[in-house]
Amino acid sequence: MSFTQDNSSDSIQPRSLKERRFDQTFKGLARFFAFLIAAILLAIALLVTIRAWPAIAEYHLGFLFKSTWKPNDPPDFGVLPAIYGTIVSSMLALAISVPIGLGIAIFLSEDYLPTKVQRILVFLVELLAAIPSVLYGLWGIFVLIPFLKEITPLRGPAMLPAALILAIMTLPIIAALSRDALSNVPLELRQASVGLGATRWETIFFIILPAASSGIIGGIMLALGRALGETMAATMLIGNNNTEIDFSIFEPSNTIASLLANQFAEASGLQVSALMYAGLILFILTLCVNILAELLVKRLQKI
Amino acid sequence: MTSEQSSFSFNPSRLKRDPKSPRTLLGLIMTAIAGLFTLLAVIPLGFVLYYILIKGFSSINLQSFTQLPPPPMVENQGGFGNALLGTMIMVGIATLISVPIGVMTAIYLSEFSAGSKVAEWVRFATNVLSGVPSIIIGVFAYGILVINPIPWFYRGYSAWAGGFALALLMLPTIIRATEEALKLVPREVRWASVGVGANDYQTVLQVVLPAAIPAIVTGVTLGVARAAGETAPLLFTALNTQFWPNWDEWLFEPTASLSVLVYNFATVPFENQNEIAFAAALVLVLFVLITNIVARVVTSRETY
């Protein structure tokens, strides 16, 4: 025992208490901030629920099935049109962006193109996701809606332009995550399939897509979560019709996010609670979708 | 069984692909469709960029950066100076809050949590947080900082509330970028540092972190670009204003931002305000384009 101590040179000394303390503090701080992230998520859920409570107590679950939005004399609120618009616009958007996004993912994960061209295209598709949504809204108002007016019965902001922009905005998520999933499929599977005489597309359809399916579905769910919560483009293009459901895609509709964007700044009293209640519904909706997506994508990483 | 299957004689011509067989044709058609879809995705990007660049350049000039937004129907004057300043203030606040928290969280995840269940949960929470719609983050910030019962906090629409909301939106981006960057630093570097007698914090702060800095900065810049374009959480936290900040209480008063200005001025029927919207949109688009391209160039160079 004493041998090691005697033999140790001056440069190797036990760490001073101060140093050890500092080390512990640093680690503790890192852990604290990590826990803070989880705490923020809980705080969001808690705060929105508390703020929404007056409206929850007043309207209960009937809030979800009522089509009125009257801030004054006497106030009466229901979010059925917004729920309808949120779900339908997202579904329409996905109906467009899923096949296109998958096509892109396949085209850019197979070796159709030289790597350089492929990389540029991947970058361009990713750039679609980086453009702020308010700019898509701006473009939609001045270019897309006038264009659609020429070729459809559209008269102004409505479900159709909003869904189209949502499709553009969800496209890069689906393309990027599907591409990840596809390129994660082991090469041996493809070699085996081609070795048995399958063509490239038979291999893609029957081997690669099924093997990557959990990642692809996870990507689609994440895109759905994004579409459900997307605010600015929807607000600027959907027409913000709070009080009735119109089943035509050429008529104004509304989403929960647009409702919040439009009304919060001028809301007071019970209206704030009603908006918080609507926000809570959107939060729960996107939370479920996102958690499911996370679990699916995680399963993929275990392959 | 047909005679073909039972015979083992090797027939090379059967291995050749028949150019007219339905299987080959189907493959060709599918390839064409997939290629077409890729083109189809790049087209809207081109349209959006082209339109905003053209319209923006034709309505931007020096006074755009220095003047206040114009009232309706006034010709040839006005700019978005206060909105540009407001965006910088709020994104600055957001960066100051989110970078230390994000980097420390990433350090915990990558350096101090090897294999622990807690780290899995934190990572999970980070991903879920990044999926929370930005408007809900806005609702949260509104709930605690704008109509707030906590007495010692300022309450009301403010740059601080807007910056707080943006910080929450940037956090997941920064955590992920930093964790990825830290993971890229080889383990041998840490061993070497510990081997010469460094403490854990010295290893992290003086060896690992500096090595990862370029990638972290890239991640933060992309987060900043994203935050600068965020609109929804600012609508009812920072609100908006037509005026320059009042420097006595600039953190605690309604504050304009480029994105909210674009939203407001795009949805009015006044042409001069529409033009200011396009000029502001141009600034945002250029910012996003340049940061993304620079980030791409920086990350393609590996540090280690």
Side-chain angles (χ1 to χ4, degrees), chain B residues 60-69 78-85 244:
Chain B
I60 205 166
N61 51 35
L62 201 62
Q63 69 180 17
S64 306
F65 296 94
T66 56
Q67 295 194 357
L68 290 175
F80 45 76
N82 65 335
L84 184 63
L85 191 65
W244 291 104

Side-chain angles (χ1 to χ4, degrees), chain A residues 15 19 27 51 126 202, chain B residues 23 147 199-201 296:
Chain A
R15 292 190 170 131
E19 279 216 340
K27 282 184 195 170
R51 290 287 185 194
E126 276 171 16
E202 284 163 357
Chain B
R23 292 169 71 198
I147 48 159
N199 282 326
D200 285 344
Y201 77 89
R296 182 57 46 136

Side-chain angles (χ1 to χ4, degrees), chain A residues 131-138 169 226 230-233 236, chain B residues 229 231:
Chain A
I131 292 185
S133 69
V134 68
L135 300 189
Y136 282 118
L138 179 75
M169 298 183 67
R226 180 81 187 276
E230 171 46 45
T231 310
M232 295 322 295
M236 293 164 89
Chain B
T231 318

Side-chain angles (χ1 to χ4, degrees), chain B residues 11-27:
Chain B
N11 181 359
S13 74
R14 288 203 54 223
L15 285 175
K16 283 215 182 102
R17 181 169 289 169
D18 177 4
K20 276 179 252 145
S21 89
R23 292 169 71 198
T24 318
L25 288 177
L26 185 74

Side-chain angles (χ1 to χ4, degrees), chain A residues 5 42 88 107 259 301:
Chain A
Q5 272 195 340
L42 289 179
V88 171
F107 197 67
L259 183 71
Q301 284 160 350

